[in-house]
Amino acid sequence: MKNKNFPLIILLIILLTCAILTTSGCSSTEESGAKDAVSGMEVNSGSDDASQIEGGSENNTLVLGEMWNIESIDPINGDGTLVCEKAAITETLVGANDDFSLKPGLATSWEQLDENTWEFKLRNNVTFHDGSKMTAEDVNFTLEKVISENAKVASMLKIDSIEIVDNYTLKIKTKEINPILPGVLHYPDTAIISPSSYNENGEFVKPVGTGPYKLESFDEQTRVLTVVKNDNWWGGEVGLDKMILKGIPDPNTRAMAIENGEVDFTVDVPYSETDRIDAIDGINVEKYKTPRVYKLDLNLKHEPLEDVRVRQAMSYAIDRSDIAENVLYNVGEAAAGPFLPTMVWANKSLKPYSQDLEKADELLTAAGWVDTDGDGIRDKDGQPLKFNLMTYSARPGLPPMAEAMAAQLREAGIGIETEVLEMGSIDDRRESGDWDLYLAAYNIAMVPDPEYILTNWYMTNGTDNNAGYSNPKVDSLITEARKITNMSERYKKFNEVEAIAYDEQPMIIVAYYGCAIVKKDYVKGYVFD
């Protein structure tokens, strides 16, 4: 049980404001500075409403309701976002400000020596949780592990070789010009770990990082992760004695957990419940915008979806403003391109598709899809225009969005069957190709540069191009842009990619994500990142 008069000082870098995934987390870190990010949040547990926390103690403990089951604590091959940004066990070389500009993390500075060579200077006062000092050898060890075991991140790093200049200096050579190398080193999967994270056979044992919290336990049965403060953290005093992270994938269960006192802090309860929960004495709900989008993936290998006119018609049939207001309860807003308009690199000329059923009718009719039997569903050559739409429930906006979109598409004569599935089933279906539409929420700022998203989503063979989209012009533009170091020219080239994708709609961007933070009133001074 919590001591009601014990002040809690929360030192969280990113907490639960976003999850991965998919899947998915947000991105952040801080400067000389990671100290500023972590030490700026205070929480007081002096209220009579302080809850009795299952698994808590009289110590300075915070219990968190995480939105995903905690399946792995391996930061390279499991869940780097959880280990780095939520549990704060590990830290990255490079941090980021609120405007997505970069700042020092475990590296104090970096410099591009020539087109393919970068020099990174490391902090000389950082100690791992095992008591050893962090040096260039450890950074080299981590990056080599990442390159050999995480193909997605390796493809973004493009590292050819790493030279250890001295204990606190490295030179990194890339295989080609890679202007976003420092940004990729902000990605949580690149967070630095000690070699002692592995046994003598090279098998992962536990994450040994440099962060303000260190692993106490991970229960393989309950999937509960417990971390305790690192008394020797280079960033200064750590306020919390302990954090307990519990995976609660169902939004309704997360709501019950905060209401009945099982957790102190959680995220994204059902949006229709936010006002009711906020009115409960002792609980506070705050709503924020976050760099994530709701995106409808289309399986372009399925014949009707190959036709750009069908995809455009679907986009015109969706009423994004209605979804934002009446489905998301304004925890989010209508979207145009993949990036928030506030991002410096976004194509700001793009506007959200407005619902236009006449335009949708015109496009579908031109594509040969008409309702010949009067059942309300268009058909062609005896085949109805029907699709299956998969989504999942961990993010509370997804199931009601899927239902709303199904109704709107039906107005245009497109039949939609929705299914809310477990992620394992969704992954199996996508891998086998047995799917039509998939609605999910995607982080768009894990690396603070447009290349990360545009390459992975729209380039032929992009790692997240599950739709099977291929456009030689887009491939050419992305390839050219990736080699441009002048940011203004680089962004212009990427803006062209956004414009083509906006026109061809290989993936339908529906809304920008909003985040509902739910916490007990004794959690004070929380700053959303």
Side-chain angles (χ1 to χ4, degrees):
M1 178 177 180
K2 288 188 192 163
N3 184 328
K4 297 179 182 177
N5 298 311
F6 200 100
L8 299 180
I9 308 296
I10 292 188
L11 304 180
L12 301 178
I13 295 177
I14 286 212
L15 219 58
L16 306 180
T17 55
C18 39
I20 63 254
L21 251 314
T22 273
T23 64
S24 181
C26 325
S27 85
S28 88
T29 23
E30 296 289 343
E31 184 168 328
S32 58
K35 178 177 181 179
D36 296 336
V38 213
S39 63
M41 182 172 155
E42 244 177 40
V43 196
N44 295 316
S45 165
S47 158
D48 289 338
D49 296 323
S51 58
Q52 295 186 22
I53 305 300
E54 179 186 345
S57 71
E58 294 183 357
N59 292 328
N60 191 12
T61 299
L62 185 79
V63 182
L64 306 154
E66 156 68 341
M67 73 188 311
W68 302 100
N69 279 325
I70 302 173
E71 302 293 345
S72 171
I73 56 172
D74 184 339
I76 293 177
N77 286 308
D79 194 342
T81 300
L82 171 79
V83 177
C84 179
E85 297 188 341
K86 298 177 183 181
I89 295 171
T90 57
E91 299 171 297
T92 53
L93 291 176
V94 178
N97 295 302
D98 288 344
D99 64 357
F100 304 102
S101 59
L102 301 180
K103 63 193 304 183
L106 292 179
T108 57
S109 65
W110 49 91
E111 179 185 2
Q112 188 169 13
L113 303 180
D114 58 44
E115 284 189 345
N116 290 23
T117 308
W118 295 77
E119 182 177 80
F120 285 80
K121 295 286 188 179
L122 308 177
R123 296 185 187 278
N124 60 12
N125 62 336
V126 178
T127 303
F128 284 112
H129 299 152
D130 63 5
S132 63
K133 287 204 71 173
M134 184 197 77
T135 68
E137 288 277 1
D138 303 302
V139 174
N140 179 60
F141 169 84
T142 300
L143 294 181
E144 287 188 345
K145 271 282 184 187
V146 171
I147 292 166
S148 65
E149 299 182 15
N150 192 320
K152 179 177 178 179
V153 180
S155 69
M156 294 188 290
L157 289 169
K158 302 182 177 69
I159 291 176
D160 182 50
S161 65
I162 302 173
E163 176 190 350
I164 298 172
V165 178
D166 58 43
N167 277 344
Y168 302 105
T169 308
L170 299 103
K171 284 185 181 178
I172 298 178
K173 287 188 177 292
T174 57
K175 298 174 183 176
E176 58 188 74
I177 297 174
N178 188 12
I180 67 165
L181 177 65
V184 180
L185 291 173
H186 169 64
Y187 196 83
D189 289 10
T190 69
I192 306 306
I193 55 175
S194 167
S196 66
S197 302
Y198 299 83
N199 64 20
E200 58 186 13
N201 297 320
E203 300 164 331
F204 175 76
V205 179
K206 66 178 182 179
V208 179
T210 62
Y213 297 96
K214 58 185 179 180
L215 178 71
E216 179 181 81
S217 66
F218 174 54
D219 191 312
E220 295 279 356
Q221 300 300 317
T222 65
R223 300 290 172 179
V224 173
L225 172 62
T226 303
V227 295
V228 294
K229 74 175 180 179
N230 173 15
D231 289 321
N232 298 313
W233 185 49
W234 64 271
E237 178 63 26
V238 180
L240 278 178
D241 291 333
K242 181 182 293 188
M243 290 196 296
I244 300 171
L245 289 81
K246 298 182 175 185
I248 308 177
D250 180 66
N252 291 291
T253 307
R254 288 199 295 275
M256 287 189 289
I258 192 79
E259 290 183 55
N260 66 24
E262 182 185 347
V263 300
D264 301 306
F265 186 108
T266 193
V267 62
D268 280 357
V269 297
Y271 297 141
S272 60
E273 293 285 290
T274 53
D275 290 343
R276 179 190 67 79
I277 294 172
D278 189 43
I280 296 173
D281 188 36
I283 299 179
N284 176 251
V285 178
E286 299 173 359
K287 300 177 183 179
Y288 299 94
K289 294 178 182 177
T290 187
R292 185 178 290 275
V293 295
Y294 292 104
K295 175 167 71 82
L296 184 68
D297 279 346
L298 315 177
N299 188 346
L300 305 190
K301 297 183 175 115
H302 287 193
E303 187 176 347
L305 296 171
E306 287 180 337
D307 193 326
V308 66
R309 295 168 296 184
V310 173
R311 303 196 300 268
Q312 290 170 335
M314 292 174 68
S315 206
Y316 277 117
I318 296 170
D319 190 336
R320 291 164 172 79
S321 296
D322 178 71
I323 287 173
E325 182 177 354
N326 298 311
V327 177
L328 298 177
Y329 293 84
N330 294 312
V331 187
E333 61 184 47
F339 301 117
L340 298 173
T342 53
M343 289 177 164
V344 65
W345 57 75
N347 186 331
K348 296 174 176 54
S349 68
L350 306 181
K351 305 299 178 188
Y353 275 61
S354 297
Q355 187 182 49
D356 188 337
L357 294 177
E358 289 186 7
K359 183 68 174 175
D361 174 67
E362 176 186 321
L363 287 162
L364 290 171
T365 299
W369 293 97
V370 294
D371 182 8
T372 61
D373 55 12
D375 66 350
I377 301 299
R378 295 171 183 268
D379 54 86
K380 180 180 178 181
D381 299 329
Q383 295 297 317
L385 189 59
K386 289 185 176 181
F387 302 110
N388 172 272
L389 193 164
M390 305 184 299
T391 192
Y392 52 94
S393 63
R395 297 192 183 277
L398 290 172
M401 279 181 71
E403 291 298 331
M405 290 165 60
Q408 293 168 358
L409 290 165
R410 173 73 186 230
E411 290 184 70
I414 303 171
I416 301 291
E417 177 189 357
T418 63
E419 288 186 280
V420 179
L421 303 172
E422 296 294 325
M423 286 305 304
S425 298
I426 289 174
D427 291 342
D428 290 344
R429 291 267 293 273
R430 296 179 86 193
E431 187 174 343
S432 70
D434 181 24
W435 65 283
D436 297 317
L437 312 175
Y438 172 52
L439 179 65
Y442 293 83
N443 190 297
I444 53 173
M446 294 298 278
V447 173
D449 186 275
E451 177 185 331
Y452 165 67
I453 287 296
L454 299 182
T455 297
N456 291 341
W457 287 10
Y458 297 115
M459 197 164 187
T460 303
N461 299 322
T463 54
D464 293 320
N465 181 3
N466 297 296
Y469 177 62
S470 181
N471 182 323
K473 175 66 172 175
V474 167
D475 289 353
S476 176
L477 286 168
I478 291 175
T479 301
E480 291 174 33
R482 282 157 56 165
K483 297 177 181 178
I484 300 174
T485 56
N486 179 291
M487 287 301 151
S488 177
E489 294 303 313
R490 178 182 176 85
Y491 295 161
K492 283 180 183 177
K493 191 73 70 173
F494 279 130
N495 284 171
E496 292 183 54
V497 174
E498 291 180 70
I500 294 172
Y502 177 84
D503 180 58
E504 296 193 345
Q505 293 290 293
M507 308 159 197
I508 297 176
I509 310 297
V510 182
Y512 298 122
Y513 196 89
C515 186
I517 298 297
V518 190
K519 54 189 176 62
K520 293 292 189 176
D521 282 351
Y522 50 76
V523 177
K524 302 292 185 184
Y526 169 74
V527 178
F528 180 81
D529 192 322

